Amino acid sequence: MTETQPHVSVRDLRKTYGDFTALDGVSFDIDPGETFALLGPNGAGKSTTIEILEGYRDRTSGTATVLGIDPQHGGLSWKARLGIVLQSSGESGNVTVQEQLSHFAKLYPHSRDVDEVIAAVGLTEKAKTRIKNLSGGQRRRVDVALGVIGRPELLFLDEPTTGFDPEARREFWELIRSLKREGTTILLTTHYLDEAAQLSDRAGVIAGGTLIDIGTIDEIGDADARTPLVRWNDQNGAHEERTHEPAGLVARLYAAAGAEPTGLEVVRPSLEDVYLDLVGAYDNSLKDNS
Amino acid sequence: MNTIALGIDRARYETKVYFRQGDTIFFTFLFPVVMLTIFSVAFSSSGNFGTNPDGTGGVDAAAFYLPGMIAAGLLLSGVQNLAVDIAVERGDGTLKRLGGTPLPVISYFIGKMGQVFATSLAQVVLLLLVSHFAFGVALPTEASKWGTFVWIYLLGITTSAVLGIALSRIPRTGKSATAVIIPIVLVLQFISGVYLSFTQLPTWLQNVASIFPLKWMAQGMRSVFLPDNFSSAEQGGSWNLGGVAIVLGIWLIVGLVAARFTFRWIRKDA
């Protein structure tokens, strides 16, 4: 394959379990070196999608290629090019951080240096601690370390920072940025919209098994959803107005009141606001149809 | 690393983990030693077993129970250990994680087999040392007896390990693994001449037990550690080592085929 081909390509992906449709025609591409975030509520189909691409689940119909290979028939050399961070697991953890990473490093042909990876996830001081004695957030960092130890071309991160404190999440973001700089392609699912906004180049929003929007972080949602919001209070209570000219609005408010308006806010909607609008609109459309 | 080298590294890793699990150490590794100790002490005053009418040829309780406990150890270290271990690994996500790496399934199996060999060898040595030094059991001095011991040990532990891998598919969850596997292993120990003298069992039960490998492992080990006059008490009045080889060989093949065709890293779409 050539570098111009996408690392992940999904067309009309469907997955049904009996009568239940988990995925109903999802299509997207992820280019080499790109970080793509898959967003959506619990049960929307994020994990089903990612597990199909990792080779853990078989699709019902549609096509999928990952690093040029159909994940249903990916062999060991294909797996050697992937890094997989699954959702949290309950392994017994009777090995130390260092033992576990040293062992996994041997499974891959071009592994990273074990101590460097341990340092990159901030566990140098815990290197000789058994994994079962780590906190939830520390165990999750081990999961991430195991996902990157094999120097993957494509890294799957399924809710990687669940259980992290804010500082650990920021350290994790730095780690991901350094992987991006090395050219690693990343597929990320997360419930933290600020994380998706910080890390990803593009995002897809999945709800009810369909992709309801896809685009760069700045494009997601309709143009209205991006319009800045001005909030203020006066004797009639709280007000809120969407406008492309917030400074003009604030100036008019000031002129009209002859004083500083109380509770004044100018808000540029974050990815989280846009996302909530999108998913909320999707839920409402379901109610209208039923 | 190639498949074999990875397997050896897995074996090292698996063995290290094995000895860090308190419950495995007691219920699999030390269990035969504990049982041998209990039986030896409990029956120490009840005289010798298998004594001829003229008062010669008998052995004391420790010597009488040693071969059965060695055989039980083979079953525990192989079948019970691996069937529970792999079912738990399937339940807790270990296998899912490994299945996402380029680890060959064969390397994983080599690792499990290596762990079983290492731990069961330590178990047998411990049993022999305890029986000899704590209970004064006279161990065989003829090289031919030890030759028999080696092939029965190797065939027995390999068969047992392979059957453990195959049986690991049966428990539906990691949590139910011990509840599903231990009764199977326990019943086999009672009907195969480990705790109860085999020839005292009703003939139909002996015939049922003869289908399964443990009876043959125990019989083979008795041929090594008991005096030759005990052979007359066996089914058919002889040690029947040919039968031991055939039945264990068949179970080895059955186990290999079942393990090869039923093992999956995860239950896809369960």
Side-chain angles (χ1 to χ4, degrees):
Chain A
M1 64 175 259
T2 64
E3 273 306 297
T4 51
Q5 280 183 309
H7 269 178
V8 174
S9 184
V10 171
R11 288 292 171 277
D12 203 22
L13 194 63
R14 281 176 52 83
K15 177 69 187 176
T16 55
Y17 300 94
D19 290 341
F20 176 68
T21 302
L23 285 179
D24 194 6
V26 170
S27 303
F28 62 88
D29 286 339
I30 306 174
D31 287 327
E34 188 178 34
T35 298
F36 183 82
L38 205 49
L39 310 174
N42 287 331
K46 298 190 301 292
S47 286
T48 302
T49 305
I50 206 166
E51 292 207 338
I52 287 172
L53 298 177
E54 290 163 343
Y56 285 122
R57 290 173 195 271
D58 294 339
R59 58 187 182 270
T60 307
S61 66
T63 61
T65 55
V66 173
L67 299 177
I69 306 263
D70 180 343
Q72 259 164 253
H73 305 108
L76 297 180
S77 58
W78 175 74
K79 288 184 189 174
R81 301 166 63 199
L82 301 180
I84 297 177
V85 178
L86 297 163
Q87 283 192 28
S88 56
S89 61
E91 292 153 274
S92 53
N94 269 309
V95 286
T96 68
V97 173
Q98 192 162 38
E99 286 168 343
Q100 185 78 333
L101 280 158
S102 299
H103 177 66
F104 274 73
K106 290 179 186 142
L107 307 182
Y108 294 89
H110 310 293
S111 304
R112 289 174 204 278
D113 182 81
V114 169
D115 292 332
E116 279 175 22
V117 170
I118 291 174
V121 296
L123 287 176
T124 302
E125 284 175 15
K126 297 284 180 184
K128 298 206 176 341
T129 303
R130 290 198 193 167
I131 292 171
K132 65 174 177 185
N133 295 329
L134 298 178
S135 71
Q138 289 167 338
R139 285 185 74 134
R140 201 72 190 118
R141 295 195 211 184
V142 176
D143 290 337
V144 173
L146 292 172
V148 303
I149 189 75
R151 206 182 296 276
E153 291 169 50
L154 170 61
L155 177 62
F156 294 102
L157 294 168
D158 204 355
E159 299 182 11
T161 58
T162 305
F164 280 30
D165 59 39
E167 194 189 348
R169 285 179 61 214
R170 273 168 180 77
E171 283 169 14
F172 170 79
W173 294 353
E174 270 317 303
L175 172 67
I176 297 305
R177 288 190 186 109
S178 72
L179 293 171
K180 285 179 71 168
R181 282 194 291 274
E182 291 176 31
T184 313
T185 309
I186 298 171
L187 173 52
L188 167 77
T189 76
T190 181
H191 284 299
Y192 301 106
L193 278 297
D194 56 336
E195 184 163 287
Q198 286 282 338
L199 298 179
S200 50
D201 305 307
R202 284 192 307 139
V205 179
I206 198 165
T210 56
L211 205 56
I212 57 174
D213 202 358
I214 183 168
T216 64
I217 295 300
D218 298 334
E219 290 168 359
I220 287 274
D222 56 30
D224 259 6
R226 297 268 162 199
T227 311
L229 205 58
V230 179
R231 295 196 186 104
W232 73 97
N233 298 328
D234 62 17
Q235 62 271 24
N236 299 325
H239 299 273
E240 184 177 285
E241 199 175 314
R242 280 186 188 279
T243 171
H244 289 287
E245 293 163 342
L249 175 58
V250 171
R252 285 197 301 280
L253 287 173
Y254 184 74
E260 194 71 25
T262 56
L264 177 68
E265 278 184 313
V266 179
V267 184
R268 201 163 284 274
S270 67
L271 180 60
E272 180 149 350
D273 300 318
V274 174
Y275 164 84
L276 290 172
D277 281 351
L278 268 174
V279 174
Y282 174 82
D283 288 343
N284 287 334
S285 73
L286 287 189
K287 280 178 204 137
D288 294 345
N289 290 340
S290 62
Chain B
M1 282 215 224
N2 64 31
T3 303
I4 305 290
L6 272 180
I8 292 168
D9 197 66
R10 286 289 307 167
R12 223 176 278 135
Y13 174 96
E14 299 264 16
T15 306
K16 189 160 53 187
V17 172
Y18 177 99
F19 283 110
R20 288 177 185 178
Q21 290 167 324
D23 50 350
T24 331
I25 290 181
F26 185 77
F27 287 105
T28 298
F29 187 74
L30 293 179
F31 198 70
V33 175
V34 171
M35 294 309 277
L36 179 73
T37 305
I38 291 172
F39 279 102
S40 301
V41 172
F43 297 118
S44 58
S45 59
S46 58
N48 280 358
F49 291 76
T51 315
N52 291 325
D54 63 0
T56 62
V59 297
D60 66 11
F64 182 75
Y65 280 107
L66 175 63
M69 293 308 160
I70 291 175
L74 296 182
L75 190 75
L76 294 174
S77 290
V79 173
Q80 176 172 307
N81 171 26
L82 285 195
V84 171
D85 183 29
I86 298 175
V88 168
E89 286 191 342
R90 185 171 286 115
D92 72 12
T94 303
L95 291 194
K96 189 171 185 180
R97 193 196 293 281
L98 290 176
T101 72
L103 176 70
V105 175
I106 297 296
S107 303
Y108 174 77
F109 282 179
I110 292 172
K112 289 294 181 199
M113 302 290 283
Q115 179 231 56
V116 168
F117 280 120
T119 60
S120 85
L121 197 61
Q123 184 179 50
V124 168
V125 168
L126 184 66
L127 267 171
L128 293 177
L129 290 176
V130 169
S131 67
H132 185 68
F133 290 106
F135 300 110
V137 174
L139 299 177
T141 49
E142 308 95 307
S144 64
K145 291 276 188 191
W146 288 107
T148 307
F149 170 81
V150 167
W151 77 254
I152 293 173
Y153 168 77
L154 288 177
L155 183 58
I157 196 64
T158 310
T159 302
S160 185
V162 166
L163 289 174
I165 296 174
L167 280 175
S168 72
R169 280 296 283 187
I170 294 180
R172 297 294 301 177
T173 66
K175 285 196 179 74
S176 68
T178 49
V180 173
I181 298 299
I182 286 182
I184 298 174
V185 171
L186 199 61
V187 167
L188 276 183
Q189 289 176 78
F190 273 101
I191 68 172
S192 300
V194 170
Y195 302 136
L196 310 173
S197 181
F198 189 70
T199 42
Q200 287 170 2
L201 300 175
T203 310
W204 68 266
L205 194 55
Q206 291 186 16
N207 291 336
V208 170
S210 298
I211 298 170
F212 299 102
L214 182 57
K215 181 260 183 189
W216 299 94
M217 293 195 273
Q219 187 168 319
M221 287 301 170
R222 285 196 293 273
S223 83
V224 173
F225 293 98
L226 292 184
D228 281 333
N229 62 303
F230 276 73
S231 65
S232 59
E234 297 291 337
Q235 260 188 325
S238 80
W239 295 125
N240 190 10
L241 293 184
V244 172
I246 289 168
V247 175
L248 292 183
I250 290 171
W251 276 104
L252 177 61
I253 292 165
V254 168
L256 276 176
V257 171
R260 169 69 184 77
F261 288 104
T262 63
F263 183 83
R264 297 284 181 278
W265 290 121
I266 59 166
R267 290 179 188 277
K268 256 190 187 181
D269 301 337

